[in-house]
Every structure is written in structure tokens, then in C-alpha cells.
């Protein structure tokens, strides 16, 4: 309901922008149950879809990220499909405006999308069609292009093998991603760099052009530093697996 959404937005503003520690603590205590119970995922997705508050957007996206990571096996196949499609549609529709009005709200939503893609990757080929979806961003406005590159940048980072729960599964996911999706993603990065260097890309807004340049460099770096050998990083070693 609108009144409940407005109340939650007020609490989120207090959580991230409190005037006192007591106010922040009260907001934290009120909001905490929403990010601890997987049954609250529909409510958080509703908030993400309807809020105009950057703080509520960040709270909903980070809360969903925590819940799906901890309770992925309790998410139905239909929910996984719907969430991925919802996030892609949301970013396509709202991403460019968010870049201009509330840029801090973009990354949490992108990270959530990438986590959904990662966790579902081994569950069927329909979950691996990410490049076909994201490439549509690269054929639209300059800010959609930046957004598509940011999705790829975060995805290549999240797909890296890491130490922790489900380590073996994440390693298999990373190797599959390396063999299927990473080559076309890297090709897109190189082609975009070439177009920028030759002036083939015409971006009227200089801020958008800087965003695009920074994002494609970040993506290129992530692709080149991907763990191609499928080794697990060792925090005690100074060696970095790069190509």
C-alpha cells in the first residue's frame, strides 16, 4: 500500500541518513526482519519496483541480494526467471534516469541482477543467455551502453571463483562462464575501446562519454584479470593470475 511504502521510505532514509544514532538504530531494528526472512522477498521486490527513494531502492536491492544468496534453494524456478527479467526491464527503463538523479542506486540493482545470473547459471541454458539480453542495452542510448558495460563489469567480478560456502559449485559456474560468455564480453570491451579511440562513438554529453570510457576500461581490466585457470585465490600470496 502507498502508506506502507511511504513509511518504509522514511525508515530507509533514517537508516542511511539519520540525524542521530538513536534514530538510525530504531530504523535498523524496524527494517532488519525484512532482510532476514526469505518470505519477505516479494515485499522487497515491490519496494524496488515502486519506490522513488534512492535509500529505499538501495535497501531493497541489498536486502534481496542477501536473501537470495542465503536462501537460493528456497527460490522457485519461476521466481528466479521473473526476478531476472524484472531486473533487466527495470534497469532498461530506469537506469539512465538513475544515473542522472541518484547514481548510487544503480550499482546495488546491477549487483543483484548479476548475483541472480550467477546463482542460476548451472540450472539450465535459459539462465546463460545473459549476453543476448545485455547486448540490447548496447544498441540504445549512451547511458544504456554504460549500463550494459557495468552489468558485464560486475558479472565478470562476481563470477570469479572464491573461497567460502558452495565453493565447488561457484568454481564450476566460473569455468562455464569463462568458456561461454567471457569471450564475447571481452570482444565487446575491445570493440568499444577501439571505437572510442578512433572517435567512431559520438557521445554528445561529455559526462556520459567519461562514464563510458571509465566503464569499458574497468570491464577490460576485469576480463583480463579473470581466473582463467580456475584456481582459488590465496590471500597469503602476492601472485595474481592474469593473462
Amino acid at each position: 500500500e502507498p502508506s506502507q511504502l511511504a513509511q518504509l521510505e522514511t525508515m530507509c532514509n533514517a537508516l542511511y541518513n539519520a540525524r542521530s544514532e538513536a534514530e538510525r538504530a530504531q530504523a535498523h531494528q524496524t527494517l532488519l526482519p525484512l532482510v532476514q526472512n526469505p518470505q519477505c522477498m516479494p515485499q522487497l521486490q515491490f519496494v524496488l519496483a515502486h519506490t522513488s527513494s534512492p535509500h529505499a531502492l538501495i535497501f531493497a536491492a541489498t536486502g534481496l541480494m542477501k536473501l537470495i544468496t542465503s536462501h537460493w534453494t528456497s527460490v522457485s524456478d519461476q521466481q528466479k526467471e521473473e526476478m531476472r527479467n524484472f531486473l533487466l526491464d527495470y534497469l532498461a527503463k530506469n537506469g539512465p534516469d538513475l544515473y542522472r538523479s541518484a547514481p548510487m542506486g544503480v550499482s546495488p540493482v546491477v549487483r543483484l541482477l548479476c548475483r541472480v545470473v550467477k546463482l542460476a547459471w548451472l540450472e539450465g541454458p535459459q539462465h546463460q543467455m545473459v549476453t543476448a539480453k545485455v547486448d540490447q542495452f548496447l544498441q540504445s542510448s549512451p547511458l544504456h551502453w554504460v549500463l550494459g558495460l557495468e552489468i558485464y563489469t560486475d558479472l565478470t567480478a562476481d563470477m570469479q571463483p572464491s573461497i567460502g560456502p558452495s565453493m565447488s559449485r561457484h568454481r564450476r559456474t566460473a569455468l562455464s562462464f569463462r568458456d561461454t560468455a567471457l569471450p564475447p564480453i571481452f570482444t565487446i570491451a575491445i570493440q568499444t575501446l577501439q571505437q572510442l579511440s578512433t572517435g567512431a562513438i559520438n557521445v554528445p554529453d561529455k559526462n556520459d562519454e567519461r562514464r563510458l570510457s571509465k566503464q569499458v576500461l574497468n570491464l577490460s581490466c576485469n576480463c583480463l584479470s579473470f581466473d582463467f585457470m580456475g584456481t582459488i585465490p590465496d590471500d597469503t600470496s602476492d601472485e595474481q593470475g592474469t593473462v
Side-chain angles (χ1 to χ4, degrees):
E1 295 181 6
S3 61
Q4 291 177 317
L5 179 59
Q7 186 178 9
L8 185 137
E9 288 174 342
T10 301
M11 286 291 177
C12 290
N13 186 60
L15 181 66
Y16 293 109
N17 198 26
R19 289 168 293 184
S20 69
E21 183 58 31
E23 183 183 23
R24 192 202 67 80
Q26 177 62 42
H28 180 266
Q29 185 177 358
T30 303
L31 293 170
L32 189 60
L34 284 173
V35 298
Q36 291 180 324
N37 185 353
Q39 294 182 350
C40 292
M41 282 193 272
Q43 291 95 310
L44 289 172
Q45 191 164 324
F46 177 87
V47 172
L48 200 156
H50 294 92
T51 187
S52 57
S53 162
H55 294 122
L57 177 66
I58 293 169
F59 172 78
T62 53
L64 279 168
M65 175 95 153
K66 177 181 178 182
L67 286 172
I68 67 161
T69 302
S70 302
H71 303 279
W72 182 251
T73 55
S74 66
V75 182
S76 70
D77 290 343
Q78 182 179 351
Q79 282 179 302
K80 295 169 184 176
E81 193 89 17
E82 289 176 352
M83 187 178 295
R84 188 196 68 229
N85 291 337
F86 163 76
L87 291 168
L88 283 165
D89 291 343
Y90 179 88
L91 287 168
K93 180 180 178 182
N94 301 295
D97 288 339
L98 280 175
Y99 270 136
R100 299 196 187 283
S101 62
M104 69 280 197
V106 177
S107 291
V109 181
V110 169
R111 284 194 293 269
L112 174 59
L113 169 63
C114 294
R115 183 58 55 86
V116 171
V117 171
K118 174 184 178 178
L119 293 175
W121 191 265
L122 296 179
E123 296 178 10
Q126 71 274 21
H127 297 294
Q128 300 179 12
M129 304 295 291
V130 62
T131 53
K133 301 284 188 182
V134 178
D135 281 358
Q136 296 175 18
F137 286 77
L138 309 181
Q139 299 165 15
S140 190
S141 70
L143 283 180
H144 279 98
W145 200 340
V146 175
L147 192 53
L149 294 176
E150 181 168 347
I151 293 170
Y152 281 151
T153 303
D154 274 30
L155 187 61
T156 53
D158 204 23
M159 282 290 188
Q160 288 274 27
S162 59
I163 297 173
S166 304
M167 185 169 67
S168 176
R169 177 179 175 84
H170 292 330
R171 184 176 182 275
R172 294 198 309 274
T173 299
L175 295 177
S176 172
F177 174 80
R178 176 201 66 186
D179 294 340
T180 58
L182 190 61
I185 289 174
F186 185 50
T187 299
I188 288 167
I190 295 302
Q191 289 174 343
T192 305
L193 278 172
Q194 290 172 336
Q195 289 174 297
L196 280 171
S197 65
T198 60
I201 297 177
N202 181 25
V203 183
D205 189 306
K206 291 302 178 186
N207 287 328
D208 293 349
E209 186 177 40
R210 280 192 290 271
R211 273 197 181 107
L212 183 60
S213 300
K214 180 179 179 181
Q215 200 62 62
V216 72
L217 288 170
N218 287 339
L219 174 57
S220 302
C221 182
N222 277 11
C223 289
L224 290 170
S225 59
F226 195 82
D227 187 0
F228 290 92
M229 299 301 293
T231 56
I232 299 299
D234 181 356
D235 292 336
T236 64
S237 172
D238 292 331
E239 295 179 4
Q240 296 292 326
T242 57
V243 173

mmCIF file of all heavy atoms in Angstrom, residues 191-203 209:
data_model
loop_
_atom_site.group_PDB
_atom_site.id
_atom_site.type_symbol
_atom_site.label_atom_id
_atom_site.label_comp_id
_atom_site.label_asym_id
_atom_site.label_seq_id
_atom_site.Cartn_x
_atom_site.Cartn_y
_atom_site.Cartn_z
ATOM 1 N N GLN A 191 36.102 -3.911 -28.732
ATOM 2 C CA GLN A 191 35.467 -3.158 -29.816
ATOM 3 C C GLN A 191 35.058 -1.756 -29.353
ATOM 4 O O GLN A 191 35.219 -0.781 -30.090
ATOM 5 C CB GLN A 191 34.248 -3.917 -30.338
ATOM 6 C CG GLN A 191 34.600 -5.171 -31.127
ATOM 7 C CD GLN A 191 33.374 -5.976 -31.516
ATOM 8 O OE1 GLN A 191 32.278 -5.797 -30.963
ATOM 9 N NE2 GLN A 191 33.533 -6.882 -32.477
ATOM 10 N N THR A 192 34.546 -1.670 -28.120
ATOM 11 C CA THR A 192 34.163 -0.359 -27.589
ATOM 12 C C THR A 192 35.387 0.526 -27.398
ATOM 13 O O THR A 192 35.358 1.729 -27.714
ATOM 14 C CB THR A 192 33.410 -0.526 -26.258
ATOM 15 O OG1 THR A 192 32.294 -1.399 -26.441
ATOM 16 C CG2 THR A 192 32.900 0.816 -25.750
ATOM 17 N N LEU A 193 36.481 -0.045 -26.906
ATOM 18 C CA LEU A 193 37.723 0.717 -26.761
ATOM 19 C C LEU A 193 38.216 1.226 -28.112
ATOM 20 O O LEU A 193 38.638 2.390 -28.236
ATOM 21 C CB LEU A 193 38.806 -0.156 -26.118
ATOM 22 C CG LEU A 193 38.789 -0.296 -24.597
ATOM 23 C CD1 LEU A 193 39.800 -1.352 -24.153
ATOM 24 C CD2 LEU A 193 39.083 1.038 -23.929
ATOM 25 N N GLN A 194 38.144 0.375 -29.120
ATOM 26 C CA GLN A 194 38.586 0.780 -30.456
ATOM 27 C C GLN A 194 37.721 1.915 -31.000
ATOM 28 O O GLN A 194 38.229 2.876 -31.582
ATOM 29 C CB GLN A 194 38.543 -0.426 -31.400
ATOM 30 C CG GLN A 194 39.610 -1.480 -31.104
ATOM 31 C CD GLN A 194 39.425 -2.752 -31.921
ATOM 32 O OE1 GLN A 194 38.319 -3.063 -32.365
ATOM 33 N NE2 GLN A 194 40.507 -3.495 -32.125
ATOM 34 N N GLN A 195 36.418 1.813 -30.800
ATOM 35 C CA GLN A 195 35.509 2.849 -31.284
ATOM 36 C C GLN A 195 35.730 4.170 -30.553
ATOM 37 O O GLN A 195 35.657 5.242 -31.159
ATOM 38 C CB GLN A 195 34.049 2.385 -31.117
ATOM 39 C CG GLN A 195 33.654 1.269 -32.072
ATOM 40 C CD GLN A 195 32.268 0.728 -31.781
ATOM 41 O OE1 GLN A 195 32.018 0.174 -30.713
ATOM 42 N NE2 GLN A 195 31.357 0.907 -32.717
ATOM 43 N N LEU A 196 36.026 4.088 -29.274
ATOM 44 C CA LEU A 196 36.312 5.314 -28.519
ATOM 45 C C LEU A 196 37.612 5.955 -28.992
ATOM 46 O O LEU A 196 37.702 7.179 -29.146
ATOM 47 C CB LEU A 196 36.399 5.003 -27.019
ATOM 48 C CG LEU A 196 35.082 4.872 -26.249
ATOM 49 C CD1 LEU A 196 35.344 4.343 -24.846
ATOM 50 C CD2 LEU A 196 34.373 6.224 -26.167
ATOM 51 N N SER A 197 38.623 5.136 -29.235
ATOM 52 C CA SER A 197 39.934 5.670 -29.603
ATOM 53 C C SER A 197 39.939 6.282 -30.998
ATOM 54 O O SER A 197 40.702 7.215 -31.280
ATOM 55 C CB SER A 197 41.001 4.569 -29.514
ATOM 56 O OG SER A 197 40.754 3.563 -30.479
ATOM 57 N N THR A 198 39.073 5.776 -31.881
ATOM 58 C CA THR A 198 39.030 6.298 -33.257
ATOM 59 C C THR A 198 37.979 7.388 -33.444
ATOM 60 O O THR A 198 37.865 7.964 -34.524
ATOM 61 C CB THR A 198 38.724 5.157 -34.248
ATOM 62 O OG1 THR A 198 37.455 4.565 -33.916
ATOM 63 C CG2 THR A 198 39.813 4.097 -34.199
ATOM 64 N N GLY A 199 37.206 7.639 -32.365
ATOM 65 C CA GLY A 199 36.160 8.650 -32.476
ATOM 66 C C GLY A 199 34.909 8.159 -33.181
ATOM 67 O O GLY A 199 34.043 8.957 -33.559
ATOM 68 N N ALA A 200 34.797 6.837 -33.353
ATOM 69 C CA ALA A 200 33.621 6.283 -34.034
ATOM 70 C C ALA A 200 32.367 6.395 -33.176
ATOM 71 O O ALA A 200 31.254 6.391 -33.689
ATOM 72 C CB ALA A 200 33.868 4.821 -34.393
ATOM 73 N N ILE A 201 32.566 6.494 -31.854
ATOM 74 C CA ILE A 201 31.428 6.683 -30.945
ATOM 75 C C ILE A 201 31.256 8.170 -30.701
ATOM 76 O O ILE A 201 32.185 8.849 -30.249
ATOM 77 C CB ILE A 201 31.665 5.954 -29.605
ATOM 78 C CG1 ILE A 201 31.776 4.451 -29.827
ATOM 79 C CG2 ILE A 201 30.536 6.255 -28.631
ATOM 80 C CD1 ILE A 201 32.074 3.671 -28.562
ATOM 81 N N ASN A 202 30.090 8.674 -30.997
ATOM 82 C CA ASN A 202 29.794 10.087 -30.785
ATOM 83 C C ASN A 202 28.840 10.229 -29.605
ATOM 84 O O ASN A 202 27.660 9.915 -29.705
ATOM 85 C CB ASN A 202 29.167 10.694 -32.044
ATOM 86 C CG ASN A 202 28.868 12.180 -31.862
ATOM 87 O OD1 ASN A 202 29.501 12.843 -31.054
ATOM 88 N ND2 ASN A 202 27.897 12.686 -32.606
ATOM 89 N N VAL A 203 29.365 10.685 -28.465
ATOM 90 C CA VAL A 203 28.551 10.890 -27.264
ATOM 91 C C VAL A 203 28.485 12.391 -27.004
ATOM 92 O O VAL A 203 29.476 12.998 -26.593
ATOM 93 C CB VAL A 203 29.158 10.154 -26.049
ATOM 94 C CG1 VAL A 203 28.251 10.310 -24.832
ATOM 95 C CG2 VAL A 203 29.377 8.681 -26.367
ATOM 96 N N GLU A 209 30.295 10.496 -21.860
ATOM 97 C CA GLU A 209 31.472 9.949 -22.541
ATOM 98 C C GLU A 209 32.512 9.483 -21.524
ATOM 99 O O GLU A 209 33.122 8.419 -21.685
ATOM 100 C CB GLU A 209 32.077 10.998 -23.467
ATOM 101 C CG GLU A 209 33.217 10.463 -24.327
ATOM 102 C CD GLU A 209 33.755 11.515 -25.281
ATOM 103 O OE1 GLU A 209 33.866 12.689 -24.859
ATOM 104 O OE2 GLU A 209 34.042 11.175 -26.435
#
